[in-house]
Amino acid sequence: MLRHEFQPGRLVAGLFLATAGVVFAGDAGGLWETPWFVVIPVVVGGLCLAGAAGVVSRAVRRRRAVAGRADPADPAQAPMDASR
């Protein structure tokens, strides 16, 4: 299996949408009574949290990429010489 980058926003969105599906399935199966409007806050809240997780994840990746990219022409970013 090919490796891919971890995307926490998609994970969070998937968990909340699966939760909404379980709520509707339980209502359809007669296990419990669920008003129709209960799923709206679950889905909207999950999408908002997924967006926030995606923004944080992207910011962390971008910050790591900038920190890992050193300019060899810049003496301030050059590695310290051990012989000094």
Side-chain angles (χ1 to χ4, degrees), residues 1 4 12 20 24-25 27-29 33 35 37 40-41 45 50-52 54-55 59 62 64 69 78 82:
M1 182 174 173
H4 57 85
V12 171
F24 269 136
D27 186 33
E33 283 291 318
F37 56 85
I40 294 171
V55 167
R62 190 174 277 183
R64 284 185 183 172
R69 214 180 312 157

Side-chain angles (χ1 to χ4, degrees), residues 13-26 32 34 38-40 42-43:
L15 288 174
F16 275 87
L17 291 173
T19 301
V22 167
V23 167
F24 269 136
W32 56 75
T34 305
V38 168
V39 176
I40 294 171
V42 171
V43 171

Side-chain angles (χ1 to χ4, degrees), residues 8 52-68:
V55 167
V56 169
S57 172
R58 184 177 175 117
V60 167
R61 280 196 192 102
R62 190 174 277 183
R63 183 174 178 152
R64 284 185 183 172
V66 168

Side-chain angles (χ1 to χ4, degrees), residues 67-82 84:
R69 214 180 312 157
D71 186 11
D74 187 9
Q77 293 180 351
M80 296 297 290
D81 189 11
R84 289 187 200 179

Side-chain angles (χ1 to χ4, degrees), residues 1-12:
M1 182 174 173
L2 295 175
R3 297 194 80 153
H4 57 85
E5 64 184 33
F6 177 62
Q7 297 178 340
R10 290 186 180 192
L11 175 67
V12 171

